[in-house]
Amino acid sequence: MKDTPSFLVMIIWSFTEMERQSIYHLDERTGSGFVSQDLYLHGYFSASIKLPADYTAGVVVAFYMSNGDIFEKNHDEIDFEFLGNIRGKDWRIQTNIYGNGSTSVGREERYSLWFDPSEDFHQYSILWTDSQIIFYVDNIPIREVKRTESMGGDFPSKPMSLYATIWDGSGWATNGGKYRVNYKYAPYVTEFSDLVLHGCSVDPIEQFPKCDNTESSEAIPTGVTPARRIKMESFRAKFMTYSYCYDQVRYKVPPSECVINPKEADRLKSYDPVTFGGGRRHHGKRHHRSRAGQVEAISI
C-alpha cells in the first residue's frame, strides 16, 4: 500500500463480533479495516457492503483473502476490489487472484454494476475450493476460475485470512492515477454487515485443519448451477469491461488457464480494439500491485 499516505488501522475480529454492522472510514491520516482471527483453507466468505457516495476517485474498498503476512514472497490472494470514481461516474468492481506469489501475471477482470453500490447494501461473496473459485454479487455468479494442471501453484492453495479495507489507491485506481483522492470529501465511509465465514479454519502453527463437519446451509453455494450459469453469462455479456485473458497488449498468448469465449472476445474487442484487438498504440505501464506489503436494469 505504498501509494497511500494514510496509516491503515487493522482490527482483528472474532466471528461473533463480525456478524454485526461495522463502519470503516478513510481520511487524510487514517485508513481502516479488519482481518479475521482465523486462517481458512477453503470455504464460503460473504459480506453485505455499502460503499461511499459522491466523489470517490482514488478510493479503494477491498474484500479479500490473503496470507501475505505469512508468506511474503509466495503469497496467495483472492480479491474483490471496488474502485471509486469522479462525480457522475459509477463505481467499478474488480476481481483478481494470485497463487504462490504469481503477482507478475495479473488475473484481473473488471465490471460495471446494474445498481449504485453506494445507495444500499449488496452482497459480495467468494466460494473457494480446491478446484475452483467463484465470485458472486447478490448471489449471482459473475466469475468462475477453475483450477487446471497448467496453473500449477498459481492457484491459491495455502490457508488465508479474510480482510476488508478502505484505503487510498490514488496512484493507480482511477484512470491509471489520473484522478486522485480529494480529501475535501473525507471521511469516506464504507459499511459492512452480515458477514459469513463458512470455512475450514486452520491452526496457524501446525497448519492442521479444524473443519466443522456439520451439514452446509442451503444458503451456501457449492458451485454454479445451470440456471445460475445462464445468469452469469448474462452478467458478463452486459457488464464485463476487462478480462486479462483477452488483453493482447499484456499477453501475446493468453495464460494457459484461459478459456476463450468468442462472444466475449468480440464484445471486448468492440469495446476497446487496442487492448483486445491487437491494435497499435503507445500504452503506459499497467500498474501491478499486491497488498502483501501493505446504469441499466439487468434481468438475470
Side-chain angles (χ1 to χ4, degrees), residues 55-279:
Y55 183 99
T56 55
V59 176
V60 179
V61 176
F63 179 68
Y64 65 104
M65 305 197 71
S66 178
N67 49 34
D69 57 337
I70 300 174
F71 303 98
E72 294 185 3
K73 296 182 178 180
N74 63 332
H75 84 287
D76 305 306
E77 198 165 306
I78 305 173
D79 299 335
F80 264 117
E81 294 176 307
F82 306 91
L83 311 179
N85 218 327
I86 59 176
R87 181 179 287 146
K89 298 290 185 179
D90 297 330
W91 279 85
R92 285 93 16 89
I93 183 173
Q94 179 167 286
T95 62
N96 201 0
I97 68 168
Y98 298 128
N100 202 33
S102 58
T103 55
S104 61
V105 182
R107 292 181 168 86
E108 304 97 329
E109 285 192 352
R110 190 173 292 186
Y111 328 87
S112 56
L113 292 166
W114 67 96
F115 54 82
D116 182 346
S118 68
E119 289 186 346
D120 204 351
F121 286 90
H122 290 270
Q123 185 181 19
Y124 306 92
S125 311
I126 296 168
L127 175 66
W128 172 39
T129 75
D130 61 354
S131 60
Q132 65 180 347
I133 296 166
I134 303 172
F135 296 88
Y136 299 84
V137 176
D138 287 343
N139 295 315
I140 297 168
I142 65 169
R143 181 181 183 185
E144 179 183 32
V145 180
K146 293 184 178 180
R147 184 174 194 166
T148 64
E149 184 177 351
S150 61
M151 289 184 76
D154 287 1
F155 188 90
S157 57
K158 298 187 291 294
M160 293 189 278
S161 299
L162 178 71
Y163 290 80
T165 57
I166 179 170
W167 56 285
D168 184 330
S170 290
W172 66 274
T174 309
N175 283 37
K178 179 179 180 180
Y179 299 104
R180 306 181 68 83
V181 173
N182 187 337
Y183 286 102
K184 177 177 71 174
Y185 300 97
Y188 295 98
V189 176
T190 187
E191 301 175 66
F192 292 81
S193 68
D194 303 323
L195 275 95
V196 176
L197 291 86
H198 186 91
C200 186
S201 61
V202 174
D203 185 289
I205 298 175
E206 297 180 358
Q207 299 285 295
F208 184 77
K210 299 175 290 182
C211 296
D212 184 353
N213 292 321
T214 59
E215 291 185 9
S216 297
S217 166
E218 290 183 1
I220 305 299
T222 57
V224 181
T225 64
R228 285 190 170 183
R229 187 167 299 279
I230 292 172
K231 292 183 177 182
M232 180 172 69
E233 291 173 353
S234 176
F235 171 87
R236 294 174 68 84
K238 294 179 181 179
F239 296 106
M240 186 171 72
T241 59
Y242 176 84
S243 172
Y244 77 104
C245 283
Y246 303 98
D247 189 333
Q248 298 184 20
V249 175
R250 292 171 67 187
Y251 303 112
K252 302 305 179 185
V253 177
S256 58
E257 75 274 7
C258 289
V259 177
I260 301 302
N261 180 324
K263 291 183 179 179
E264 285 185 346
D266 289 343
R267 193 184 68 80
L268 289 175
K269 187 182 296 184
S270 65
Y271 178 81
D272 183 349
V274 174
T275 300
F276 304 115

